[in-house]
Structure formats: C-alpha cells, structure tokens
Amino acid sequence: MTVADVMVRAVVTATPDTLVGGARRLLKQARARHLPVLDGPLLVGIVSDRDLRSAPGEAVPLREVMQRPVFVLSPDTSLRRAARLFRERRFGAMPVLEGRELVGIVSVVDVLKVLGE
C-alpha cells in the first residue's frame, strides 16, 4: 500500500496572510489538526493545532507561526516508509505533493489505522 491509498484528498489550506484566529476556525470546521499553507499554488509551510495554540495572538499571520521547510511525501511512498518517517521525525502529518502540486495530506493516524489492521 502507498500513501495515495490512505491520504485525505480534500485538503483544507490557508495562505501566509491567514490570521491565527481564522486558521483555528478552519481546523475546527474541517475537524483536522494540520493546515498546509499555500502561497498561490506553492506549499510554503504547515501549521498544527499546537502551533496555533502557542501563537502570541489571534491577529498574527500564519507566516509568523508556520513551520518551514515542510517535509513532504509523494503519493507513491510506501506506508511502511511513511510510518518510519513519522516515527523518526516526530511529525503528526505530512502534505503529499505530486510534482509541485498539493494532492493530499496524510497523518500518522491514517497510517497507523491501516498498519494496525
């Protein structure tokens, strides 16, 4: 199995100018914990619910709190390799890019669900 088999394809994203308060609302509505940050079509960062909780205020733009550079996976990455990367790098989620295009996001929970079956 590959990342493409388990990734979430309908990814909610934000821009570097999105404010922390808006990003929190996006995550809550999407029932997600990670938000890729796009500048036009390019992935420039990622924020987690933890990053947003530790932000200095609601009116801070994501460019000031997002994590970068972003470690990404390709759709054909094996689930075993993804699981190893999650463990080694202690990420909660990684965006999935095909070329330069964001095509999904996969979380450690997505991978563990499949590997645990």
Side-chain angles (χ1 to χ4, degrees):
M1 289 190 88
T2 66
V3 165
D5 297 318
V6 300
M7 70 184 185
V8 173
R9 294 175 189 275
V11 183
V12 176
T13 64
T15 70
D17 295 324
T18 301
L19 301 179
V20 166
R24 285 183 179 151
R25 285 189 294 281
L26 285 172
L27 285 179
K28 185 175 181 179
Q29 289 170 349
R31 299 180 65 174
R33 295 185 324 170
H34 298 87
L35 189 62
V37 180
L38 300 179
D39 190 359
L42 297 178
L43 178 70
V44 294
I46 190 167
V47 293
S48 68
D49 55 348
R50 182 179 299 158
D51 296 326
L52 297 176
R53 283 194 306 270
S54 63
E58 295 282 309
V60 174
L62 292 184
R63 74 175 72 256
E64 294 183 25
V65 297
M66 68 185 185
Q67 301 298 312
R68 58 187 155 202
V70 183
F71 196 91
V72 300
L73 299 172
S74 68
D76 61 348
T77 303
S78 74
L79 288 186
R80 288 197 182 283
R81 174 138 173 77
R84 191 169 38 256
L85 289 169
F86 279 123
R87 186 182 70 242
E88 290 171 359
R89 299 196 179 255
R90 298 178 186 242
F91 293 141
M94 288 184 269
V96 181
L97 295 185
E98 195 157 37
R100 297 179 115 189
E101 180 184 356
L102 178 68
V103 294
I105 191 166
V106 64
S107 74
V108 68
V109 173
D110 299 326
V111 173
L112 288 175
K113 258 191 256 184
V114 173
L115 293 179
E117 293 175 350

